[in-house]
Amino acid sequence: VWTTTPTTTPSQPPRSTTTTTMPPSSTTSSTPGTTTTVIGTPTRTPATESTSTPTAIVSTKNPLLPTSEGLSKSLGVLSFVALLWENSRTSTAITTTTTLEPSSIPPTASTIVSLPSVSTTPMSVTTSGTTPTESFTTTSGTTSRNFTTITVTTTTTTSEIVSTGSSSTSGPTATSSAVTTAGSESWWLCNCTNAICIEDNIIQVVPIICNPPPKPTCVNGLSPVQVIDEDGCCWHWECDCYCTGWGDPHYMTFDGLYYSYQGNCTYVLVEEIDKKVDNFGVYIDNYHCDTRDVVSCPRTLIVRHETQEVRIATVKPNTLQVEVTVNKQAVALPYKKFGLSIYESGINRVVEIPELKMNVTYNGLSFSIRMPYSLFGNNTHGQCGVCNNNTADDCMLPNGKIAENCETMADHWQVVDPSKPQCSPGLNPTKAPSTTPMQPCKESSICKLLLGSVFEPCHEFVRPEKYYTACVFDSCVVPDLDLECSSLQIYAATCADQGVCIDWRSHTNGVCSYTCPSDKEYRACGPVKEITCKSSQQNETSTKQVEGCFCPNGTMLYDSGVDVCVKTCGCVGVDKIPREFGEKFTVDCQDCICLEGGNGIVCGPHECPKQNKTSCDGEGFYEVNEVNSEDSCCPIVTCKCNTSLCTTKAPKCTLGFEIHSHIPSGQCCPVYQCVPKRVCVHQNAEFLPNASVFVDKCQNCFCTNEVNVSTQLNIISCQHIPCSTYCKPGYELQPVKGECCGRCVQTKCVIHTANNSDLILSPGEFKNDPYNNCTIYSCANIHNQLISSTSEITCPAFNEESCKPGTITFLPNGCCKTCAPLDSPTPCSVRERKDFIVYKGCRSVDRVVMTECEGTCGTFSLYSAEANSMEHSCSCCRESRTTVRKVELKCPTGHSISHKYIYVESCSCQDTECSSSQSSESQSREENDKASTLNRIKRAISLTSK
């Protein structure tokens, strides 16, 4: 007898119960929704009656769980039961209990198989539904719950099987529980079903019932994630390890502790405390990104895993341009090798290690590290802290002690970097930097967006206050770097990670704009992995979104490694041009076709049409292959002219001529000819028409447009320079060597007289002033220089009273008077006169009063008969008393000197010795006077010359 008894939870009314009695012969019948296996003689009896025939309770068919028939076929359980039946000829009871949960949970069933017993007494089997009972307690991340109880009762023996289990988790987890029944031995079947050997050859088949665990609260403010249990049937909550860094830089630890650190070395972001993964760690290389070396920015993110070291380095400071290297070799994305993959996701580069269920993102301005708690809980340290849902130990030092603040802690996580010799692990930590700007400033309007309506949809999922603090710090300390954009970017990325996408860049007035290539468009909410022709949208189950550049609507990315947007999925070759299936094209001089399947593009050598043979005869011609505009892969053979191959050289033309060349039609080499340039030529120089030509000083010449028929050169026309022939009085026109015209040269002295008339004198000539005979003008040539002089004759004192009447006449000079003296002699006395004093070339400015002795004394010559000779008595009129006076003399050089001269005060006759007679009657008194006058003139001339 097989009895099918569905059992429901109290929340639903029980379904109908069907009892079927069958004869002993084995038959199988089925009704819609119910599968029944019958062994023995069918007998109809209610489910609660006692009968001598074996009974089995079989559940209604659950599409998620195996039926009795399925269990018999796949696991051999019922076949094993049938075999025991045949051998022992005893009855077998198979009990299947179906428990109906609320509509949100699919029906599950448990099956109890009673093995043969020696008793043939009819038994009554009663099945009771399982009712799960839950109690949730969440304290410090620990969740405990109670399990369900299943009771099985028979008419002959009653046994109560109670399964009580509890689950507690340490850390940020909450675990769902499965319904199990204690037994001596159990094993997994399929579709989350467990088989338990109870006792006395009784097997209980128990489907796993998953009850939703309570949702814990993550200290970092992020939502917990669902994690499948090890059995693969149920799930539990965990708080992922999520660390971020951005700006200059600001950090958010795994447990959500915020701090800023301005070091410029290479540091450990995360390493394992207990090393379980070989050569594993994430590191950051910071550098001072402002001119004052006050703040730092991330430059390179380093991920190490076993044999590989990935470096994502910023190409240009403070930009989203990065390059990726693996073991110091540049790689193309996507990259996958040795359990590590690197790919682009929007603006980010992502390093993913599937075995560790972790990923690291970096875009040049910010980074994030996501690690599962199940693998790394309580086993991380570094600048990202300890992942244990507790911020108290996030500032842990390498020695395990807790620092006063994370800024101090961050200094201790330096690593050896050969490129930064100034950094050394173990140095005394620097002073903890202040996260508050030194001087108050007005925060950027961009920062206010974090607290405003733009990001308001995310506020209930991720609190913005810490990001706002970082943004204000960046805008005040380094206002010129636009680093505040990184705070908005990392906050938006964190929101997107929590399922809230914010389109924020359009609200920054272009400050935080992001420019995409011409074939892409920016989206704030795009897929983490863009759909490509090589993938399908059905395979993408992630609901998270990222910002970046994506293919426009109506197109899709051809492949993750081929950054080309296509409208239809055909082929894309090395030329990055999309092709449709069946399209033929030529690339790299190969004929290709785009085929569906295989490698897509199949190519073969390009065939060129035959060409007529081209012969390049003639001097200067040579063959050349030219690009065919219609088919660039098939060059055209043409004849080209290269004049350097010509043997005829251009002749050298004379002045006034130039080379003219022309190439006759059909030839390559030029024909040369010297033709006139229509210029004038003079002394190896060419002159254009109307240009001035210098022939000599005496001619003005220019180049004309007239041509000399014989020389074919233009004629030079010249005119003599006109000369002046007039010269001033005293000057004569004389030729000058090397000059075109003569020059007036002075040949006579020109003297301006007192009455403003000019007197012309030749060198050596003397002439009296026409109006004053006492003034004498003279001209002298001294060292080829004409010197004119004016002399004043000073006459001796003349007393007309001492003259005989009628004897007064002028001396020959026409200036001084003389006369015949009276018979009485003139006594010896002092006579005054005025004259210039000249001494060593210097002359008195005015005439000076000078005195002299003049007069007659007793002088006679007598013949002495006794002596028979002439007796002489001589007496001279001489000075008897003198004084010395001073006068200032003016010298030709311009300076003055003081000069002393003798002034006669008195005169007297004094005897003197008479010399032999030298008198000559032929020498008259007039000659003596003339000689005296000439001496005075010469003295005047000499004075003037000096």
Side-chain angles (χ1 to χ4, degrees), residues 52 61 513 526 775 923:
S52 60
K61 183 176 181 181
S513 62
T775 300
Q923 185 176 5

Side-chain angles (χ1 to χ4, degrees), residues 59 73 130 211 435 689 751 897:
S59 67
K73 290 181 179 179
T130 61
N211 296 315
T435 58
I751 301 173
I897 63 173

Side-chain angles (χ1 to χ4, degrees), residues 454-620:
V454 175
F455 286 94
E456 186 176 2
C458 183
H459 289 174
E460 63 177 304
F461 299 94
V462 183
R463 298 305 304 166
E465 287 77 10
K466 297 175 182 178
Y467 302 92
Y468 175 76
T469 301
C471 183
V472 172
F473 178 85
D474 292 345
S475 66
C476 292
V477 177
V478 280
D480 299 330
L481 296 183
D482 294 334
L483 283 181
E484 56 265 33
C485 296
S486 62
S487 295
L488 277 71
Q489 186 268 322
I490 192 66
Y491 181 65
T494 306
C495 293
D497 183 78
Q498 298 298 301
V500 181
C501 183
I502 305 294
D503 187 359
W504 61 276
R505 292 190 184 270
S506 58
H507 298 275
T508 62
N509 295 325
V511 176
C512 303
S513 62
Y514 187 75
T515 304
C516 292
S518 59
D519 59 335
K520 298 285 188 75
E521 64 181 15
Y522 172 80
R523 292 183 199 163
C525 309
V528 174
K529 289 187 178 180
E530 193 170 2
I531 302 302
T532 69
C533 290
K534 303 299 182 181
S535 65
S536 62
Q537 194 166 2
Q538 289 76 15
N539 294 336
E540 180 57 49
T541 59
S542 175
T543 59
K544 296 180 180 180
Q545 293 178 313
V546 295
E547 67 167 331
C549 297
F550 301 93
C551 290
N553 291 331
T555 64
M556 69 169 56
L557 194 66
Y558 179 75
D559 195 5
S560 57
V562 182
D563 192 16
V564 178
C565 297
V566 297
K567 293 183 179 180
T568 58
C569 291
C571 308
V572 175
V574 294
D575 56 357
K576 303 293 184 180
I577 299 176
R579 313 283 183 180
E580 295 184 1
F581 291 126
E583 180 180 349
K584 295 181 179 180
F585 57 96
T586 300
V587 61
D588 292 338
C589 294
Q590 288 200 333
D591 293 332
C592 304
I593 184 172
C594 173
L595 298 177
E596 187 172 4
N599 293 327
I601 297 178
V602 178
C603 297
H606 181 67
E607 296 183 0
C608 297
K610 294 183 178 180
Q611 298 183 15
N612 296 327
K613 179 65 176 177
T614 302
S615 177
C616 299
D617 296 330
E619 187 179 13

Side-chain angles (χ1 to χ4, degrees), residues 524-798:
C525 309
V528 174
K529 289 187 178 180
E530 193 170 2
I531 302 302
T532 69
C533 290
K534 303 299 182 181
S535 65
S536 62
Q537 194 166 2
Q538 289 76 15
N539 294 336
E540 180 57 49
T541 59
S542 175
T543 59
K544 296 180 180 180
Q545 293 178 313
V546 295
E547 67 167 331
C549 297
F550 301 93
C551 290
N553 291 331
T555 64
M556 69 169 56
L557 194 66
Y558 179 75
D559 195 5
S560 57
V562 182
D563 192 16
V564 178
C565 297
V566 297
K567 293 183 179 180
T568 58
C569 291
C571 308
V572 175
V574 294
D575 56 357
K576 303 293 184 180
I577 299 176
R579 313 283 183 180
E580 295 184 1
F581 291 126
E583 180 180 349
K584 295 181 179 180
F585 57 96
T586 300
V587 61
D588 292 338
C589 294
Q590 288 200 333
D591 293 332
C592 304
I593 184 172
C594 173
L595 298 177
E596 187 172 4
N599 293 327
I601 297 178
V602 178
C603 297
H606 181 67
E607 296 183 0
C608 297
K610 294 183 178 180
Q611 298 183 15
N612 296 327
K613 179 65 176 177
T614 302
S615 177
C616 299
D617 296 330
E619 187 179 13
F621 286 107
Y622 69 100
E623 291 185 1
V624 65
N625 291 329
E626 282 190 340
V627 176
N628 188 351
S629 59
E630 297 179 357
D631 189 350
S632 59
C633 296
C634 297
I636 301 174
V637 178
T638 60
C639 294
K640 288 289 184 180
C641 173
N642 185 357
T643 55
S644 63
L645 302 177
C646 298
T647 58
T648 304
K649 302 299 180 183
K652 186 177 181 180
C653 298
T654 58
L655 280 176
F657 293 84
E658 61 184 353
I659 287 290
H660 274 202
S661 64
H662 70 281
I663 300 176
S665 178
Q667 296 185 14
C668 172
C669 296
V671 176
Y672 300 102
Q673 182 181 7
C674 290
V675 297
K677 297 170 67 176
R678 300 306 178 193
V679 296
C680 299
V681 176
H682 177 70
Q683 293 183 350
N684 294 326
E686 294 179 347
F687 300 89
L688 295 174
N690 299 321
S692 178
V693 181
F694 179 79
V695 175
D696 56 47
K697 294 181 180 181
C698 302
Q699 298 185 82
N700 285 329
C701 302
F702 67 96
C703 180
T704 66
N705 287 311
E706 297 180 11
V707 179
N708 189 319
V709 179
S710 60
T711 63
Q712 293 298 308
L713 298 176
N714 288 23
I715 298 174
I716 298 176
S717 176
C718 297
Q719 293 181 349
H720 198 280
I721 296 176
C723 297
S724 175
T725 58
Y726 170 77
C727 289
K728 295 188 298 181
Y731 290 80
E732 292 182 0
L733 187 64
Q734 295 181 358
V736 180
K737 186 177 180 181
E739 297 291 339
C740 299
C741 299
R743 187 166 53 188
C744 290
V745 178
Q746 187 177 6
T747 58
K748 296 181 180 180
C749 295
V750 179
I751 301 173
H752 298 283
T753 62
N755 59 351
N756 294 326
S757 62
D758 291 335
L759 187 63
I760 306 300
L761 297 180
S762 297
E765 184 181 0
F766 297 87
K767 185 175 288 187
N768 288 30
D769 189 303
Y771 303 99
N772 183 6
N773 284 336
C774 292
T775 300
I776 300 175
Y777 301 104
S778 63
C779 179
N781 188 343
I782 301 174
H783 302 298
N784 294 325
Q785 185 174 4
L786 294 177
I787 303 298
S788 60
S789 63
T790 302
S791 301
E792 298 288 341
I793 299 175
T794 302
C795 296
F798 181 75

